[in-house]
Amino acid sequence: MKIMKQAWAITRQDFRNNPYALLWTLLFIMYLGFTMSFVVSMELGESGALNPAADFVVLVLTPFLGFIYNRRTFKYLQEDSYTHMLAFLRTLPIPVSAVIMSRIQQAIFAFIGNSVIFFILLFTLSGTLRAYAGPGFFVSFALTWIGYGMLIQAIYMYLEFLKRGKAYFWLSLVIMLICGMISIMVRIYGANLVSITAFYSKEWQLLSPVMWGALAAGVFGIFVSYRMTLRRLIKRDLA
């Protein structure tokens, strides 16, 4: 409980130090929602039968719902802002576990707030997804992709704490490349991930095994990331 309180103190101070973070986050998530709605509509329509664009866009962008966008987020490459933040926090009487837990708290808040905005825009603007209409479908579809986003977000958190800005950037590109390869491979086999998740969400709704599997994988990924990051961050040289 003490760790959670210390983590919350860091989280609260981070919000205070970045008063415009919520505004930038809102604008960016709205942009993602608008973009994704049109790509998904093309993917599930007849004109997009051979187009893997939506799978790629959803795989790449959904984990971004777990970020709160502030100056540190946008300057990580030029200024190695994540490393500088850790170096500063290390000078304070705060355990490493609280620092990592604060990042997890921010990811959870981001997923909750960003996902509400993102998926409302996605379902509202995408006529194709509205064809599956029903609150059970909407919640199941959203939670399926949130679970996936949490899993990849766990990787990003690990990289934030343990890699410098340039390495973080290049490894992020590797993740995107892997997403592209997955979307192409799925298309080669005559399927697409967006329609598969939509189908299971429509058929099973809140009992969807894909949804529960994705959420379980996301929670497990966050837990593993926390444990691995904690073990290695204690030994990391931030000089």
Side-chain angles (χ1 to χ4, degrees):
M1 185 61 68
K2 182 179 179 181
I3 296 298
M4 294 297 292
K5 290 182 178 180
Q6 292 173 323
W8 174 241
I10 299 172
T11 300
R12 185 172 52 193
Q13 188 61 40
D14 204 31
F15 280 119
R16 288 176 177 173
N17 291 339
N18 297 277
Y20 298 107
L22 296 180
L23 175 60
W24 291 119
T25 300
L26 173 63
L27 293 175
F28 184 70
I29 296 303
M30 289 178 65
Y31 168 75
L32 291 186
F34 280 113
T35 302
M36 191 81 75
S37 65
F38 294 112
V39 176
V40 168
S41 293
M42 290 189 297
E43 170 74 8
L44 296 181
E46 293 182 2
S47 62
L50 298 177
N51 183 4
D55 282 355
F56 174 72
V57 172
V58 174
L59 288 172
V60 169
L61 297 185
T62 303
F64 289 1
L65 299 178
F67 287 105
I68 294 174
Y69 295 91
N70 52 33
R71 185 179 183 278
R72 184 168 61 244
T73 306
F74 292 114
K75 293 290 185 178
Y76 78 88
L77 182 59
Q78 297 94 326
E79 301 178 1
D80 198 9
S81 53
Y82 292 129
T83 301
H84 291 164
M85 174 199 68
L86 290 173
F88 169 73
L89 292 175
R90 184 168 285 184
T91 64
L92 304 176
I94 301 173
V96 172
S97 55
V99 176
I100 303 173
M101 187 58 66
S102 172
R103 177 62 180 84
I104 294 175
Q105 287 178 349
Q106 294 184 43
I108 292 173
F109 291 143
F111 269 117
I112 293 173
N114 292 343
S115 295
V116 170
I117 298 170
F118 175 80
F119 285 105
I120 285 177
L121 285 172
L122 180 62
F123 294 141
T124 302
L125 298 176
S126 176
T128 307
L129 284 178
R130 284 201 304 272
Y132 294 88
F137 163 76
F138 291 154
V139 174
S140 177
F141 184 86
L143 290 179
T144 298
W145 284 105
I146 289 172
Y148 160 78
M150 290 170 58
L151 179 62
I152 306 304
Q153 178 70 198
I155 300 175
Y156 281 122
M157 286 192 292
Y158 179 85
L159 297 178
E160 282 180 24
F161 284 113
L162 297 174
K163 302 296 180 181
R164 294 193 176 274
K166 290 183 179 180
Y168 179 88
F169 172 76
W170 288 111
L171 290 171
S172 297
L173 291 183
V174 171
I175 293 175
M176 294 181 186
L177 177 61
I178 293 173
C179 290
M181 294 172 62
I182 291 174
S183 62
I184 292 174
M185 290 176 62
V186 171
R187 180 62 61 184
I188 289 174
Y189 285 97
N192 65 74
L193 298 175
V194 175
S195 62
I196 290 173
T197 53
F199 171 78
Y200 276 96
S201 296
K202 180 183 179 182
E203 292 297 316
W204 293 83
Q205 299 196 27
L206 296 183
L207 296 177
S208 169
V210 176
M211 180 194 76
W212 288 109
L215 288 174
V219 172
F220 181 73
I222 295 292
F223 174 76
V224 172
S225 178
Y226 171 82
R227 299 296 298 178
M228 293 180 63
T229 303
L230 178 61
R231 186 162 55 246
R232 296 194 58 187
L233 185 57
I234 294 175
K235 302 177 182 179
R236 183 186 173 187
D237 181 9
L238 298 175

